[in-house]
């Protein structure tokens, strides 16, 4: 093992809570959904059985309607460690939420899970134990993808509707600015943020006004008892998220491969293939020839979200390397101002760009991993590893100076490092 892979393995070991992994030691002391998928890819190179356990733990908190919650709370972590805690979420207002324990949030996050299981399967070289566990997980995976393709897309547009910026995984992206600006914040109980106690520089995190909006949206979701049809009728924040949808497309392609491993019936395969076709068509329909990007669709504003961010490259993640999009991608990563040729979360040419602010400019290693996986472009891997050698396992990185930002020892950064080195 190289020195860097040993250090990455040590980060996973440090965040390992026994069968599941904290997203970060202090800032995120619970299990997050898409983090767990990346983390499982990292564990696959150390211990494939442990990798599957990561996802089994997450799926054991799945809701009855198939939704995979975005946070599964550690029952023994001090409640003051992370806000909002389970008492704010009140997930059991929904009849679909599992009876605690486990306590969960009421949102979901991008479905990287089948992509992770495909990776684990390839790494473990056909282990019978992993095959048996994949067979047991299959109905849950299918229910998760069904929930997204159907309950989150009643229009059958092929695009997933998100109810909250936290569902995108790119919380503070300018993609959500206009939709959030229309949300009128009502009376909120007093609350205390914990994130700014862990990350001392508030310039790297969302503002208090952003947090009021995030928490108000959760209040509204609770009033709707997390019921999808009610939310889709009444909620002020409804956006078709192209990056989320592209991950779902990639995950459906991975699921088709896993269908062979588990011996799934043809009816399952036909369903998955149908979802995948719809997602590819939905993404193609969001193409903006002027920006040469694929754009989210704000349902309440009835308008495409004209922002230059990493999400504009969503079709690449879904396996569609349209030449104009690829050319735009190459032009963004070859910007001479960048310290490394990697994708900034928001383009320096977008008016909302801020080089150190959450999802408004910095580089996220897992985002580059998704592009690298789709394009097989070794330059992305080499540059990412150089960045990590310099910055450590930072949550995110200033794109021009290479300054490490956010949490140190972020589990998913260590996990993709292990995959890149393998
Ligand atoms: C809210 C855990 C998560 C990531 C998200 C990232 C951040 C949470 C927060 O941390 O979000 O879910 O409190 O800021 O934006 O992508 O999954 O690492």
């Amino acid at each position: 093992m190289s020195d860097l892979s040993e250090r990455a393995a040590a980060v996973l070991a440090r965040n390992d809570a026994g069968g599941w992994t904290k997203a970060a030691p202090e800032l995120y002391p619970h299990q997050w959904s898409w983090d767990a998928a990346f983390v499982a890819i990292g564990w696959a190179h150390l211990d494939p059985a442990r990798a599957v356990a990561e996802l089994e733990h997450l799926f054991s908190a799945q809701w009855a309607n198939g939704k995979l919650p975005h946070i599964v709370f550690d029952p023994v972590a001090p409640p003051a460690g992370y806000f909002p805690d389970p008492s704010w979420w009140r997930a059991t207002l929904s009849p679909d939420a599992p009876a605690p324990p486990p306590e969960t949030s009421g949102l979901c996050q991008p479905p990287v899970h089948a992509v992770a299981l495909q990776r684990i399967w390839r790494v473990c070289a056909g282990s019978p134990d992993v095959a048996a566990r994949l067979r047991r997980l299959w109905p849950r995976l299918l229910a998760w993808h069904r929930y997204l393709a159907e309950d989150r897309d009643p229009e059958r547009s092929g695009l997933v509707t998100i109810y909250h910026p936290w569902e995108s995984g790119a919380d503070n992206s300018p993609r959500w600015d206009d939709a959030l600006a229309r949300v009128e914040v009502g009376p909120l109980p007093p609350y205390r943020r914990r994130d700014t106690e862990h990350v001392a520089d508030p310039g790297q995190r969302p503002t208090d006004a952003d947090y009021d909006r995030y928490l108000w949206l959760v209040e509204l979701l609770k009033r709707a008892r997390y019921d999808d049809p009610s939310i889709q009728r009444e909620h002020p924040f409804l956006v078709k998220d192209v990056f989320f949808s592209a991950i779902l497309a990639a995950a459906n392609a991975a699921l088709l491969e896993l269908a062979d491993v588990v011996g799934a019936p043809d009816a399952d395969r036909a369903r998955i293939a149908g979802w995948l076709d719809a997602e590819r068509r939905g993404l193609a329909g969001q193409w903006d020839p002027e920006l040469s990007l694929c754009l989210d669709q704000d349902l309440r504003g009835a308008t495409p979200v004209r922002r230059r961010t990493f999400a504009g490259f969503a079709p690449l993640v879904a396996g569609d390397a349209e030449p104009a999009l690829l050319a735009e991608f190459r032009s963004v990563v070859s910007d001479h101002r960048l310290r490394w040729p990697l994708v900034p979360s928001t383009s320096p040419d977008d008016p909302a760009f801020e080089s150190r602010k959450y999802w408004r400019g910095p580089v996220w290693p897992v985002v580059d991993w998704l592009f690298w996986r789709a394009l097989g472009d070794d330059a992305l891997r080499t540059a990412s590893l150089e960045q990590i050698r310099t910055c450590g396992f930072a949550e995110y990185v200033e794109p021009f100076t290479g300054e490490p930002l956010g949490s140190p020892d972020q589990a998913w950064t260590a996990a993709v490092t292990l995959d890149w080195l393998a």
Side-chain angles (χ1 to χ4, degrees):
M1 250 191 166
S2 71
D3 177 49
L4 189 61
S5 52
E6 272 175 23
R7 280 165 47 214
V11 169
L12 288 192
R14 179 173 173 215
N15 286 320
D16 186 4
W20 65 274
T21 308
K22 294 179 206 167
E26 313 287 339
L27 183 59
Y28 308 119
H30 304 286
Q31 189 183 37
W32 260 261
S33 170
W34 75 324
D35 298 58
F38 289 110
V39 160
I41 291 167
W43 279 120
H45 298 287
L46 305 170
D47 176 357
R50 174 64 184 80
V52 186
E54 187 73 35
L55 292 168
E56 287 168 342
H57 183 269
L58 182 72
F59 273 94
S60 70
Q62 187 172 27
W63 289 26
N65 57 356
K67 178 160 77 178
L68 206 50
H70 105 290
I71 304 174
V72 181
F73 287 96
D74 178 359
V76 300
Y82 181 79
F83 178 82
D85 61 20
S87 69
W88 188 284
W89 288 103
R90 297 183 58 208
T92 51
L93 284 170
S94 164
D96 291 321
E103 301 265 22
T104 78
S105 75
L107 302 173
C108 60
Q109 272 188 329
V112 185
H113 316 91
V115 169
L117 287 165
Q118 179 193 44
R119 199 69 160 185
I120 296 167
W121 177 248
R122 288 180 182 179
V123 170
C124 79
S127 141
D129 168 57
V130 171
R133 289 161 76 179
L134 283 174
R135 272 195 291 278
R136 282 197 292 275
L137 271 174
W138 181 259
R140 288 180 177 265
L141 271 167
L142 206 62
W144 168 222
H145 285 215
R146 187 217 60 80
Y147 169 75
L148 294 172
E150 297 181 5
D151 296 6
R152 287 300 187 103
D153 184 24
E155 311 84 356
R156 299 294 185 271
S157 66
L159 301 171
V160 176
T161 304
I162 60 163
Y163 306 150
H164 194 294
W166 285 339
E167 294 205 305
S168 70
D171 316 347
N172 203 24
S173 173
R175 294 159 71 195
W176 321 125
D177 285 0
D178 290 345
L180 280 179
R182 282 197 312 271
V183 174
E184 234 176 89
V185 178
L188 279 170
Y191 68 89
R192 175 165 161 196
R193 286 179 67 174
R194 299 291 176 175
D195 59 320
T196 38
E197 292 171 14
H198 298 302
V199 177
D201 170 11
Q204 296 177 33
R205 292 286 308 175
T207 63
D208 286 347
D210 293 326
Y211 255 74
D212 281 351
R213 288 202 150 71
Y214 297 156
L215 294 170
W216 179 246
L217 289 176
V218 175
E219 288 306 293
L220 296 177
L221 294 170
K222 285 190 284 188
R223 284 184 193 177
R225 298 183 178 271
Y226 297 109
D227 174 63
D228 292 282
S230 314
I231 294 165
Q232 288 156 15
R233 270 194 312 275
E234 294 152 21
H235 201 52
F237 184 100
L238 296 175
V239 184
K240 293 285 184 192
D241 176 337
V242 288
F243 202 73
F244 194 125
S245 307
I247 290 176
L248 180 57
N252 274 324
L255 211 54
L256 282 175
E257 186 180 317
L258 293 175
D260 293 337
V261 178
V262 305
D266 286 346
D268 287 359
R269 283 171 229 264
R271 234 171 148 194
I272 299 164
W275 295 331
L276 179 55
D277 277 354
E279 284 141 17
R280 289 192 172 141
R281 276 199 311 274
L283 289 167
Q286 293 303 111
W287 173 249
D288 182 292
E290 202 186 314
L291 293 181
S292 291
L293 293 174
C294 174
L295 302 181
D296 303 303
Q297 185 73 22
D298 180 344
L299 293 182
R300 286 291 180 233
T303 165
V305 181
R306 305 195 83 254
R307 290 291 189 180
R308 291 178 181 274
T309 74
F310 74 98
F313 301 114
L316 300 180
V317 169
D320 183 3
E322 161 63 35
L325 184 62
L326 205 51
E328 180 63 20
F329 182 87
R330 300 270 177 244
S331 124
V332 165
V333 295
S334 57
D335 182 333
H336 67 276
R337 292 168 291 180
L338 297 174
R339 169 90 189 258
W340 293 284
L342 296 169
V343 187
S345 46
T346 297
S347 159
D349 297 330
D350 190 280
F353 174 79
E354 289 180 71
S355 71
R356 305 172 84 248
K357 190 105 178 153
Y358 219 49
W359 292 104
R360 299 177 89 87
V363 172
W364 259 260
V366 290
V367 168
D368 282 295
W369 186 91
L370 287 168
F371 289 122
W372 167 76
R373 175 187 180 273
L375 299 173
D377 180 346
D378 204 50
L380 286 173
R381 186 185 78 96
T382 313
S384 294
L385 286 172
E386 260 178 57
Q387 178 183 257
I388 290 163
R389 275 192 194 97
T390 311
C391 304
F393 305 100
E395 187 184 3
Y396 47 104
V397 175
E398 211 273 2
F400 301 146
T401 64
E403 179 194 5
L405 300 170
S407 175
D409 289 351
Q410 183 83 11
W412 65 7
T413 309
V416 293
T417 304
L418 286 167
D419 195 55
W420 272 321
L421 290 170

